[in-house]
């Protein structure tokens, strides 16, 4: 029946979304764990939500911290997915105010 087909489609969509979101959450946890180990003193993780990571650091550490974010993203990808041609872009930008972060 159309109702059973619709219910099966909805369950399939829920399952796919669950797998994608769960995998994204695992990747983010790995990224944060690796990044904590790479940050130079006194840089600190101050915010994480969905696809945003904010690190507070002195201006003179900005380049080093941005490189650490990129390295952490690459390591998280390697840890979860091994060698893969899939890329997980993580753009790091330096700003002087959290309000300017995009």
């Amino acid at each position: 029946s159309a109702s059973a087909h619709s219910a099966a489609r909805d369950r399939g969509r829920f399952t796919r979304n669950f797998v994608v979101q769960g995998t994204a959450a695992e990747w983010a946890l790995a990224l944060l764990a690796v990044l904590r180990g790479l940050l130079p003193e006194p840089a600190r993780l101050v915010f994480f939500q969905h696809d945003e990571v904010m690190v507070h650091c002195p201006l003179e550490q900005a380049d080093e911290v941005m490189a650490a974010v990129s390295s952490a993203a690459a390591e998280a990808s390697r840890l979860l997915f091994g060698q893969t041609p899939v890329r997980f872009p993580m753009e790091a930008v330096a700003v002087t105010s959290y309000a300017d972060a995009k």
Side-chain angles (χ1 to χ4, degrees):
S1 77
S3 174
H5 179 35
S6 178
R9 186 183 64 237
D10 290 345
R11 277 192 305 277
R13 184 180 318 115
F14 172 80
T15 300
R16 285 187 303 276
N17 288 345
F18 180 81
V19 169
V20 168
Q21 292 299 319
T23 302
E26 288 177 318
W27 184 85
L29 286 172
L31 171 110
L32 293 173
V34 171
L35 183 56
R36 278 190 186 106
L38 296 176
L39 289 177
E41 287 290 333
R44 293 287 183 265
L45 284 167
V46 294
F47 182 79
F48 171 78
Q49 180 176 332
H50 303 298
D51 62 350
E52 295 179 33
V53 176
M54 287 192 188
V55 177
H56 182 84
C57 69
L59 181 59
E60 58 272 6
Q61 286 184 330
D63 288 338
E64 184 179 1
V65 167
M66 288 189 300
V69 170
S70 295
S71 292
E75 180 63 6
S77 299
R78 188 194 66 72
L79 286 168
L80 267 69
F81 304 107
Q83 296 301 328
T84 177
V86 176
R87 296 293 162 243
F88 303 86
M90 185 78 171
E91 181 183 1
V93 297
V95 296
T96 57
S97 168
Y98 295 144
D100 296 333
K102 294 187 177 24

